[in-house]
Amino acid sequence: MTNWLKSKLISYGITNFEMSGPLANYQPAMLNENYVFVSGNLPINNGTIIHTGKCDLDLNVEEIKNSIELATSNMLISVCNIIDKKNLNIDFIKCINIRGYINCSEKFFEHSKIFNYCSDLIVKILGDDNGLHTRTVIGVNSLPLNSPVEIDGIFFIKH
């Protein structure tokens, strides 16, 4: 079995593939033919959210960046884990769509700017052709566990 994405993540220092389970009655990721649908991911490391609160009121720029990059890494790890669970040999992975939910006040308008941390990491890991994607970023009043961000996605895989 070859999990190309897992090898790529490890090469970028992302090595914690033992994620905590879902917070409720759902699957972290599901494979349907050649598409992986990934549930919302929070910036959780070792069972704990690294930063909590609203992006524009409680976190500084570095904490926002770290939160978004960790949630993005967790999303990519969910893709890796479903590949491993299904015992697939992967030739190709493309990010199709991501959605970001930003915990912020009604006065915050930098959603797209800060969500570039997510898009940039995906392009860095998958490359320009396979990492470029469509996306939606939405400001919300609250998120589970007072997380500053939640990210989900859809990926195409060739196996």
Side-chain angles (χ1 to χ4, degrees), residues 21-40:
L23 300 176
N25 189 16
Y26 63 90
Q27 294 294 315
M30 294 190 77
L31 176 67
N32 185 345
E33 303 212 4
N34 289 78
Y35 290 91
V36 177
F37 297 85
V38 183
S39 297

